[in-house]
Amino acid sequence: MDLRIFTEPQQGATYEDLLGVARAAEDLGFGAFFRSDHYLHMSGDGGPGPTDAWTTLAGLARDTSRIRLGTLVTSATFRLPGPLAVTVADVDRMSGGRVELGLGAGWFEAEHRAFGIPFPPLRERFDRLEEQLALITGMWAAPRGAGYEHDGSHYPVSGSPALVHPVQEGGVPIIIGGSGRRRTPSLAARYAAEFNVPFGSVEETRLLFERVDGVCDEHGRDPSTLVHSAAQVACLGTDEATLRRRAEAIGREPDELRRGGVAGTVEEVRDRVGRLAEAGVQRLYLQVLDLADLDHLEDLHDALA
């Protein structure tokens, strides 16, 4: 299983904090370092303040050398698709082809109000997401210099020079995730390299994989070409005292973490990851919330190596 580190910097982190975690993850051999794309904290005070996802990933592209980098996930409401295609392609070039783009419809209404970002109704957000996916992938795939046109209801494009090309052949891999029954699996089948189930139970994760595989069949896509991934909160204790300390540091209870995440003793963590693998998880994002505890990364790596 490909193990990746996933962080939530809006809860309070500087670029230097993120760089420390990314370099530790790289040195330990984790497959990737991902961050959320949020501007507003969900608990606490959020200090020292939010960092922009793609600005920090650009820095990490130059300050790391091997680890893959990406968002889980960028909100389609935050950025216009043409400039986003340019930004992501730029960071991919800066990293030497190590970037992945998680893209979603957006959900955190208070965050939009706090930063003056329009927040359309759900149906329109998904319409915009679908059009963004078509435009971004189309712009990346267009022959260089041949021009690109897009007759969209939200983002019409004309006269684009089609100069935006990532380093990676076929464009930056796109990740789509969620528990939606209709549009989410359809978008994943049509546009994604990876489908992600965030914070689901083992059984829910298995059922969502079955659903997206069925939609792939309907679209004529081989389901085996779509990576199946999951995101889970991680909290490992080499003993009960360490587990309690790490749970307290992120404002959670050990028993609650055990029920819903990759958490507990080494044996419990290994068992949970094994059951996720049996459910079809090929790639696991370990959500690490205490960015100051770099020993936690080493303990997770040692337990799951």
Side-chain angles (χ1 to χ4, degrees), residues 18-32:
L18 296 173
L19 177 59
V21 176
R23 282 180 169 168
E26 181 172 72
D27 291 343
L28 288 165
F30 284 100

Side-chain angles (χ1 to χ4, degrees), residues 41-281:
H41 60 88
M42 297 161 196
S43 63
D45 62 10
T51 53
D52 179 80
W54 286 100
T55 300
T56 58
L57 289 173
L60 294 173
R62 307 303 291 177
D63 286 342
T64 61
S65 58
R66 301 182 308 278
I67 198 164
R68 295 188 69 78
L69 305 165
T71 52
L72 203 66
V73 297
T74 286
S75 173
T77 56
F78 286 1
R79 298 167 179 87
L80 297 172
L84 180 60
V86 173
T87 297
V88 176
D90 282 347
V91 179
D92 192 53
R93 290 192 291 264
M94 292 166 69
S95 71
R98 294 185 284 126
V99 163
E100 301 178 20
L101 170 63
L103 191 62
W107 63 271
F108 193 9
E109 185 173 4
E111 175 176 54
H112 290 71
R113 292 197 305 268
F115 287 88
I117 304 169
F119 189 71
L122 181 62
R123 181 186 293 273
E124 182 180 337
R125 295 202 307 276
F126 266 92
D127 289 344
R128 288 178 178 272
L129 171 61
E130 183 169 2
E131 193 171 334
Q132 287 209 9
L133 287 163
L135 193 157
I136 291 169
T137 57
M139 190 172 284
W140 286 342
R144 186 177 299 277
Y148 175 73
E149 308 285 327
H150 175 76
D151 184 19
S153 57
H154 295 289
Y155 308 107
V157 174
S158 62
S160 172
L163 299 177
V164 180
H165 290 85
V167 169
Q168 297 175 78
E169 188 69 27
V172 169
I174 288 175
I175 303 164
I176 293 174
S179 57
R181 291 184 169 271
R182 185 175 61 87
R183 297 191 72 174
T184 298
S186 176
L187 292 175
R190 292 161 57 198
Y191 293 107
E194 176 180 332
F195 176 73
N196 181 265
V197 178
F199 313 115
S201 68
V202 173
E203 181 61 16
E204 179 186 13
T205 299
R206 183 185 65 79
L207 291 173
L208 288 171
F209 287 160
E210 289 179 356
R211 182 182 301 156
V212 78
D213 286 351
V215 174
C216 282
D217 287 333
E218 292 172 7
H219 284 274
R221 176 175 179 176
D222 180 355
S224 70
T225 65
L226 183 68
V227 174
H228 294 57
S229 71
Q232 298 266 299
V233 179
C235 190
L236 169 68
T238 50
D239 53 47
E240 284 297 324
T242 302
L243 177 62
R244 286 195 299 273
R245 173 175 59 80
R246 285 177 170 159
E248 289 172 2
I250 60 174
R252 308 285 283 272
E253 293 293 331
D255 288 344
E256 176 255 328
L257 288 167
R258 281 181 159 113
R259 288 192 298 272
V262 175
T265 63
V266 171
E267 291 75 16
E268 288 172 312
V269 163
R270 287 173 177 165
D271 177 70
R272 175 77 169 194
V273 171
R275 288 187 290 121
L276 287 167
E278 291 173 358
V281 175

